[in-house]
Amino acid sequence: MCDHDLIPPRPDLTDDQWTKLDPSVTRAAALPTELPAATTGFSRRAVLGVAAAGAALAVLPPAAGRAQAAEQATTAGAAKFPFPSGPNSAGEYRVLITGDAGTGAAEQYAVAAAARKICAAEGVGLAVGLGDNLYENGPESSDDSEFATKFETPNAGIDVPWLMVLGNHDCSGLIPGSGGMPERGDFEVAYAATSPRWYMPWRYYGATLPSGADPTVPLVEFFAMDTNPVASMTAQIAPYYWWNGQYMREQRAWLEKGLTTSRATWKIVLGHHPYINNGHHGSAGSFDGFTTGDYTSGIHLKELYEEVICGRADLILSGHDHTQQILEPNTRSRGTRQIVCGAAGKAGDGQQHGSHPARWQNFSQRGFMIMKVSATAVGFDAYTVDVATSTAHLAHSFTSTKTMPATV
């Protein structure tokens, strides 16, 4: 967690209620501690977030029509970097895993430069961005200049499809990181039409990597979630995005059906907010120390993970906490393993705050991971980055063998 990530004074206030309770929040939001002085857009967004977002979002279609509009947009624009057609000669797919990258600051560029070298050496064919793609408030339009400065330019040379998910900073207005303006996520969906890298056919979606033995059966199936409506710092105002509203009911049904019917060897869920986590933000159900309320605590995200995902998916990959963690499955996860990889732009506070068993953890350095997945095993190489030299250092390697399919 960073100094300028704001924590509400009590759970489940709306953005407007929060600022009325403590007007100083807007002044604090305009003074980030990690971004360089040259970054001027943040102050403008913090002070004018509500007015700017309201004007920009007026061009979006009604909620019920956004899925169709976004899907059409992503098929009609830029030529896309192709998905891998099969495993490499070693029988593996190699995937770059990053999260919480989009600061536009020197540290992001250093991590991306280090990752670019490793991706070239490893033959990486796919990348994952686990949310908080555009700090601090998300895009103001589908052609916001920050898509270039905080994604395209730093990642030039990592010329593969990027499976992108929405983070709380991608869906915020007046209060950076609140997640209280989910409509902004539609701009990131629409942006996919103009980018060869950015892959986001809708706010939640699936993607597959074929098996070398049988192209009709996926070796890997990804399920990219939107966790914001059930883990936002502030309460959702629009009924469509309420924790129990139409959007989350539809997403839950999609996840349940997809995970139940998937024939993939490996089922991997991508969601910005983690299920379990030893970093500063904590685990779903007690995010940032809150254990009450429908939003701030993430209690309904915890329910979604435990009732739909755990025991069906092999892995949950998340960001949100600016750390790297390879955590062990617990009793409630029923064999599903949590990976936290949110240190591509910002670093944690250097302390462990939870007690979940872990294979490896790093709470202080920036970095990324390379996932290697075959028919029989999935592994993670975790890299830390020396920002001053843009150099990656292999910090830990872990491999898990596939012994049986995930069970319902």
Side-chain angles (χ1 to χ4, degrees):
M1 179 160 168
C2 296
D3 293 340
H4 58 273
D5 278 346
L6 305 177
I7 299 176
R10 63 173 184 258
D12 290 10
L13 300 172
T14 65
D15 278 19
D16 185 58
Q17 289 170 331
W18 185 2
T19 54
K20 286 179 179 177
L21 182 69
D22 183 6
S24 67
V25 72
T26 56
R27 293 193 297 273
L31 297 171
T33 59
E34 285 199 21
L35 298 184
T39 303
T40 59
F42 176 76
S43 177
R44 169 177 58 87
R45 289 163 184 249
V47 176
L48 302 177
V50 169
L57 292 173
V59 304
L60 292 176
R66 287 179 194 148
Q68 181 179 3
E71 187 171 359
Q72 291 172 348
T74 57
T75 61
K80 313 297 282 188
F81 291 124
F83 275 71
S85 59
N88 64 15
S89 59
E92 292 181 338
Y93 288 103
R94 296 180 180 177
V95 182
L96 171 66
I97 310 296
T98 70
D100 301 68
T103 64
E107 292 84 356
Q108 178 193 3
Y109 278 71
V111 172
R116 183 161 49 247
K117 298 171 188 174
I118 299 299
C119 287
E122 293 283 351
V124 163
L126 187 70
V128 169
L130 291 167
D132 286 357
N133 309 312
L134 299 180
Y135 284 102
E136 292 289 335
N137 305 63
E140 293 180 359
S141 69
S142 61
D143 60 356
D144 194 312
S145 62
E146 292 192 347
F147 283 111
T149 59
K150 298 180 178 180
F151 178 74
E152 300 290 352
T153 302
N155 294 317
I158 309 178
D159 297 338
V160 299
W162 287 68
L163 306 184
M164 305 298 289
V165 301
L166 294 170
N168 52 297
H169 281 273
D170 300 307
C171 300
S172 297
L174 180 64
I175 302 173
S178 72
M181 193 169 284
E183 296 90 345
R184 283 199 170 193
D186 292 343
F187 292 138
E188 297 199 2
V189 175
Y191 175 71
T194 65
S195 170
R197 294 177 183 81
W198 190 289
Y199 185 85
M200 188 185 280
W202 201 43
R203 302 172 65 96
Y204 57 85
Y205 61 90
T208 60
L209 296 176
S211 166
D214 183 353
T216 66
V217 178
L219 180 62
V220 183
E221 186 160 6
F222 294 98
F223 298 85
M225 297 171 58
D226 176 10
T227 57
N228 288 290
V230 284
S232 54
M233 268 188 199
T234 57
Q236 297 295 337
I237 297 174
Y240 181 66
Y241 290 109
W242 283 352
W243 71 267
N244 59 350
Q246 177 185 347
Y247 178 75
M248 286 308 302
R249 293 197 304 271
E250 291 174 349
Q251 183 172 193
R252 181 186 174 110
W254 167 78
L255 269 170
E256 191 156 21
K257 180 179 180 181
L259 287 167
T260 301
T261 60
S262 174
R263 299 170 62 200
T265 304
W266 298 97
K267 304 174 202 176
I268 301 175
V269 169
L270 313 176
H272 178 67
H273 297 83
Y275 169 47
I276 57 172
N277 168 39
N278 286 333
H280 198 155
H281 279 306
S283 300
S286 57
F287 284 142
D288 294 304
F290 292 104
T291 56
T292 60
D294 290 323
Y295 295 96
T296 312
S297 69
I299 185 63
H300 299 297
L301 177 60
K302 181 176 185 288
E303 293 168 353
L304 180 62
Y305 277 132
E306 292 182 349
E307 295 172 7
V308 176
I309 295 167
C310 291
R312 289 188 171 105
D314 297 282
L315 297 165
I316 300 167
L317 307 186
S318 303
H320 194 48
D321 226 277
H322 304 149
T323 59
Q324 296 188 84
Q325 304 168 53
I326 300 174
L327 297 162
E328 296 283 35
N330 59 27
T331 301
R332 290 191 175 187
S333 78
R334 304 197 302 280
T336 300
R337 181 183 297 278
Q338 172 77 67
I339 306 292
V340 178
C341 188
K346 301 185 179 184
D349 63 2
Q351 301 179 43
Q352 179 173 336
H353 295 266
S355 58
H356 299 289
R359 291 276 178 155
W360 177 82
Q361 304 174 105
N362 186 297
F363 298 98
S364 61
Q365 294 173 280
R366 291 171 177 82
F368 59 91
M369 295 184 186
I370 301 293
M371 180 175 72
K372 300 178 180 180
V373 56
S374 70
T376 57
V378 62
F380 291 87
D381 290 343
Y383 289 88
T384 59
V385 173
D386 181 346
V387 170
T389 62
S390 301
T391 303
H393 302 279
L394 181 60
H396 184 80
S397 291
F398 167 72
T399 301
S400 176
T401 303
K402 187 77 170 181
T403 56
M404 62 181 66
T407 59
V408 176

